[in-house]
Amino acid sequence: MSVIAKHQVQERTYLPKSYKISVWSKLKPYFSELLKREITSLEDLETWILNWCELNDVVAEEFRWRYIRFTCNNDDEKAVASYNYAVQELTPRISPYSDALNRRLLESPFCEKLDKKKYFIFLRSIRNSIDLYRENNIELISEVKVRAKEHGRIFSQMMVDINGEDLTLQQANARMEGADRKEREIIYQKISSRLREDANELDNVFDDLLQL
C-alpha cells in the first residue's frame, strides 16, 4: 500500500486553468485587476479574498518548484535562470502590489463584517505583513534569496560514500535511522567530514547573509 496520499488539486476559479507563470507582463494584470476591482458588498469582498489567495498560492507554488528544479540540478542553466528571474524580477514587482492589496483589504468598509472566527488568523497575518513591510527591504530580500541559493547549491552537490554507494547528505541522513549504532556512527562521521570540506565556502555564505 502506498504511503503517499493522492494530492487533491484545488480547482481554479480566478486564474485560467492553463495559466503558467512566465514573465511579469503576463502576471501583472491579475494583481492590477484585484487592486482596481470594485467591491460593493461582503460577498464581493469574500470572493476577492478567495481570488487573491488563489493568485498567491499559484505564485508561491511556482517559486517553490523553481527552487526545487535548480537544486536538483545546478548544471541546468534554464532552471537556474528561471529561479533567478523569480527572485530578482518577479518578487520585487509583486511585493508592492501585495502590500497595496493588504491595505485595501483592511481599509474596506466590509472588512469589519467578516466572520471574526473564520478570518482571525488570516487578518492577523495581513496586519503583521503591513507592519513589517518596508519598500527599502525589497531589494535586500532579493539579494538574500540569491545568496541563499548558493547555500542550496553547495549542499546539493555534496555526496558521501556509504557502503560503496554515493549518496546525497539527505539520503545519508535517512540511513542514520537504522538500528545499527555502529553504522549510524560511521555515517555521521562521513557526513561531518564532508561538511568540513566546504566549511569555508558555507561560512562565507552565512557571513554575507548576516551582513544583508
Side-chain angles (χ1 to χ4, degrees):
M1 180 177 177
S2 174
V3 296
I4 302 177
K6 183 177 180 180
H7 178 61
Q8 298 296 322
V9 179
Q10 187 170 345
E11 287 290 329
R12 294 182 182 180
T13 59
Y14 181 52
L15 293 172
K17 294 180 181 179
S18 60
Y19 177 77
K20 293 184 179 181
I21 295 174
S22 54
V23 295
W24 171 242
S25 61
K26 293 183 179 180
L27 180 61
K28 179 181 177 181
Y30 296 104
F31 283 97
S32 297
E33 190 280 324
L34 287 169
L35 196 57
K36 298 175 181 178
R37 185 191 302 179
E38 186 177 4
I39 300 174
T40 60
S41 67
L42 176 59
E43 183 179 3
D44 284 350
L45 180 61
E46 291 193 292
T47 299
W48 182 88
I49 291 173
L50 287 174
N51 294 162
W52 180 23
C53 288
E54 179 183 309
L55 177 59
N56 281 336
D57 289 345
V58 170
V59 170
E61 182 178 11
E62 174 64 20
F63 280 25
R64 292 188 188 103
W65 274 115
R66 292 188 185 197
Y67 179 82
I68 290 170
R69 291 186 188 105
F70 100 78
T71 53
C72 287
N73 184 4
N74 285 278
D75 294 327
D76 187 340
E77 294 182 0
K78 184 178 179 180
V80 174
S82 179
Y83 178 77
N84 286 341
Y85 182 81
V87 171
Q88 297 174 306
E89 300 295 333
L90 294 180
T91 297
R93 289 174 167 82
I94 291 172
S95 294
Y97 274 93
S98 294
D99 182 64
L101 290 169
N102 286 339
R103 296 175 189 277
R104 185 175 186 207
L105 169 61
L106 296 188
E107 291 168 0
S108 170
F110 302 103
C111 184
E112 291 299 319
K113 297 181 181 181
L114 290 169
D115 186 313
K116 298 292 190 296
K117 185 176 181 180
K118 179 180 179 180
Y119 288 96
F120 173 75
I121 294 177
F122 174 69
L123 292 175
R124 182 179 64 183
S125 69
I126 295 297
R127 294 187 181 97
N128 287 340
S129 295
I130 291 175
D131 289 342
L132 293 171
Y133 180 80
R134 299 292 184 277
E135 187 173 347
N136 291 339
N137 286 343
I138 295 175
E139 184 177 349
L140 283 175
I141 291 172
S142 294
E143 290 182 35
V144 166
K145 289 183 177 181
V146 170
R147 196 69 181 104
K149 181 188 69 176
E150 286 300 296
H151 181 274
R153 180 191 64 77
I154 296 168
F155 267 93
S156 68
Q157 293 180 340
M158 290 184 181
M159 306 289 288
V160 291
D161 182 292
I162 305 297
N163 297 325
E165 184 179 1
D166 286 333
L167 302 177
T168 64
L169 297 193
Q170 292 85 351
Q171 291 171 325
N173 270 304
R175 296 285 181 90
M176 290 181 64
E177 296 179 6
D180 189 325
R181 179 184 177 90
K182 184 62 178 178
E183 184 179 35
R184 293 201 307 270
E185 181 181 357
I186 292 173
I187 295 173
Y188 174 82
Q189 295 294 346
K190 287 190 174 184
I191 290 175
S192 298
S193 177
R194 181 63 187 87
L195 286 170
R196 285 194 292 272
E197 291 180 25
D198 288 325
N200 289 336
E201 191 172 3
L202 288 170
D203 284 346
N204 289 336
V205 172
F206 277 114
D207 287 344
D208 289 346
L209 289 170
L210 178 60
Q211 184 62 38
L212 288 171

